[in-house]
């Protein structure tokens, strides 16, 4: 259930049908951020306040959800962006849509960990992303369930997304769920044609990302 | 119940004991973002899925909460920061703590609206803040309930805060709840002495803010 | 002789036919940065190493020149950009071109002082600009005398320009030299039509500026 | 002759005693930016306007010089800065000073090319720097010959420096001229002790760099 993922039933935020357990902080001070909330689990017995799926769905209608998004890029030897990676995916209805890497930040998880997790999830373990050292996103994309409030739209929720440009140096092997990465020249990625194919207004987000790296004309 | 506000009972996120109703989108396409969620209200009868206070409190233990924070500054005629505003507040136990302007982003509310609302709430209607036109914060501060995960700590919740520097041009008249604004020189604001007085690690946030405006030595 | 000013003879960097004297540091530690270099002046007698106009012109063919540029914007009460100001100017040949506020940084002058000086020079003393407190530009525009090296072109020189978005709150009264400010909606300012009218590739710079404030679609 | 290099005679901007020739644009549209200006060269015969060393030195007293600077960092697998590299160098007088990677941008050279060239020059060909894709620096450091105008000082010139954080992934082997890279923890790099050892006020620049990557406390 993620902003860039309009098909919550087809592809869960975790890549599994449901997140099996609550967040916990891992050893070494780094929050694992595993799982989210919601489903009845073994923990739930010990945690009577645990939200059921229904309660969670309600919470999501009452709170802005925090997301991260990434535009994967390839750079030349001195850091100039030469190509950008756009994800292609089949919707449950069989249509093809284009989107960015993205997903929810879990309870207890750092933004950086969430960004890495979603990049790896969408691009595979051999992508070798170079996450930017800066914590500040190049923009904040706000998705509202009602179109027109902002350039971005998500009929499932109010999501606020921290957006980053992430150079990848390895090989991208998207997961099995009909996801594919298309590498485009910056001018192709900025085109109206591509923009029209992107879901939720993300054509705008691609352009803002390109602008942040000086690759928009 | 806000990150910079350790006293949820003393000062609610809305400046009222409880938010009376759910978010709605206002006329003109701009989300009012009024109220949050939680309390039984007249709406609740018509909205059987409404979260009770208990359910909300649970949700907040399962989801990262989105916040905005602002360091108010005074600038000279050409934009150089000359002073920064630090809030002083008495805790319920009578201790004085220092903090920044901050508060939660409500469901359906834009980040910009939330930022304006909290600045006005904390500095009064005559502060005349000049919100930055850029949507990107100077940093993202992550507050975890377990100390040491990040420089920032909030034992009530996992909060992710978009932090901005906001020049104010008018007169600051904090609200009645023992809040006071102290204007400090940048070097005073960056001092270890001030940092030690600030709650939740916000001394670090002040320094990052000063660095973003080139006012840290 | 400035990047945005293709008519060095018509409009000098200082708004005067020639800068009469070398830079000096003013009282109070703030460099006045008055004047530049070049013309024989009373000082020149006392400063035998003074560059003549010819020598200066040579220096400019040997060194990158440092510039500042500004996109003036109008914002609503909460900082959202509603309009951008584009300068219209007649060239010596009678053609109309569009450009941004810009000009050279003088020896001994701070970037901030230069930015203020050029905004005031191009928009008049009643523009009341709010210079951003941050020293970092939203982008660095590199103008080369040979087209195609970058999106930006200046056949007179290699200029490196620090570009800022500057909200103005007053009334713009451009100076007498046929300069006019046109206020455009962000979507108009980002259009191909406007871009084609702008000199030196500054249509791209307008788009990057709009992207930095989230006003590009 | 570079801002971070107080010893122009010991180490030239090009690593050679003098730059032998003027800038030219290389094949493929990329400016080579080789050499600067100044010395009599074979070209000079064909270019009667060529500046002599004396004329150049004069130009540098009349124009702000454009520089780039870099703080090399090491990051963990998800982009968090773990160490920063500080250069150690012996001055001609035998004292040790600390500085950053830096150097001048040549005529016809892009900022990105200059940044890469100076990183390679100071850290060696096996450093494998990952230059940031963004053209905007994290700050602009202004060095004035008169102390106190800004936090930065260079008694040789007025230099304006675009400063970047550059992750390096390889092995740093500084060149032969007594240069050494010391890797420090962020808290060590931000200390007053280190700051006092750094030339020209660059202790402040290190702190601003650390702040930009969220590594300053």
């Amino acid at each position: 259930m993620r902003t860039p993922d309009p098909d919550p039933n087809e592809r869960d935020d975790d890549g599994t049908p449901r997140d099996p357990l609550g967040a916990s902080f891992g050893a070494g001070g780094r929050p694992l951020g595993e799982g989210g909330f919601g489903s009845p689990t073994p923990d739930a017995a010990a945690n009577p306040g645990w939200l059921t799926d229904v309660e969670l769905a309600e919470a999501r209608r009452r709170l802005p959800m925090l997301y991260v998004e990434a535009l994967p890029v390839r750079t030349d030897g001195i850091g100039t962006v030469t190509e950008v990676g756009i994800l292609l995916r089949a919707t449950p209805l069989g249509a093809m849509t284009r989107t960015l890497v993205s997903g929810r930040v879990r309870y207890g998880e750092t933004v950086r960990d969430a960004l890495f997790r979603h990049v790896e999830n969408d691009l595979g373990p051999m992508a070798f992303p170079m996450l930017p050292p800066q914590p500040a996103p190049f923009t904040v994309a706000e998705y509202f369930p009602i179109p027109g409030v902002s350039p971005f739209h998500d009929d499932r929720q109010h999501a606020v997304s921290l957006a980053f440009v992430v150079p990848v140096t390895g090989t991208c092997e998207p997961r099995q769920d009909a996801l594919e990465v298309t590498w485009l020249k910056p001018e192709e990625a900025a085109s109206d044609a591509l923009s029209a194919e992107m879901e939720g207004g993300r054509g705008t987000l691609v352009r803002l990302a390109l602008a942040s790296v000086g690759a928009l004309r």
Side-chain angles (χ1 to χ4, degrees), chain A residues 149-175:
Chain A
V149 176
S150 80
F152 308 107
H153 173 240
D154 183 340
D155 54 18
R156 298 169 302 145
Q157 62 186 341
H158 172 196
V160 175
S161 173
L162 310 181
F164 298 86
V165 172
V166 177
V168 297
T169 60
T171 306
C172 294
E173 298 170 346
R175 300 176 311 153

Side-chain angles (χ1 to χ4, degrees), chain A residues 55-65 156-158:
Chain A
E55 287 166 338
L56 170 65
E58 287 307 315
R60 301 187 86 172
R61 283 203 284 264
R62 298 290 177 274
L63 291 171
M65 294 288 111
R156 298 169 302 145
Q157 62 186 341
H158 172 196

Side-chain angles (χ1 to χ4, degrees), chain A residues 3-155:
Chain A
T3 283
D5 181 19
D7 318 309
N9 297 322
E10 186 188 41
R11 195 174 72 139
D12 185 83
D13 193 35
D14 305 294
T16 57
R18 49 184 52 204
D19 13 24
L21 86 113
S24 60
F25 287 86
R30 187 157 143 205
L32 291 180
E34 279 311 320
F37 40 81
S39 312
T41 70
D43 286 307
N47 185 353
W50 198 261
L51 294 180
T52 65
D53 275 355
V54 171
E55 287 166 338
L56 170 65
E58 287 307 315
R60 301 187 86 172
R61 283 203 284 264
R62 298 290 177 274
L63 291 171
M65 294 288 111
L66 182 64
Y67 275 72
V68 287
E69 292 191 90
L71 181 69
V73 299
R74 294 213 182 272
T75 59
D76 66 9
I78 57 169
T80 311
V81 170
T82 54
E83 290 182 316
V84 306
I86 304 290
L87 300 182
L88 183 67
R89 192 171 49 216
T91 68
L93 301 177
M96 299 307 284
T97 62
R98 292 183 186 273
T99 192
L100 300 180
V101 170
S102 81
R104 195 169 63 76
V105 179
R106 292 172 180 164
Y107 179 83
E109 183 182 41
T110 66
V111 168
R112 186 173 291 285
D113 281 327
L115 185 60
F116 185 82
R117 176 170 60 88
H118 289 294
V119 168
E120 189 171 58
N121 212 32
D122 284 351
L123 301 183
M126 305 303 286
F128 295 124
M130 302 293 293
L131 297 202
Q134 291 80 14
F138 71 84
T139 203
V140 176
E142 305 181 60
Y143 295 83
F144 291 101
I146 297 181
V149 176
S150 80
F152 308 107
H153 173 240
D154 183 340
D155 54 18

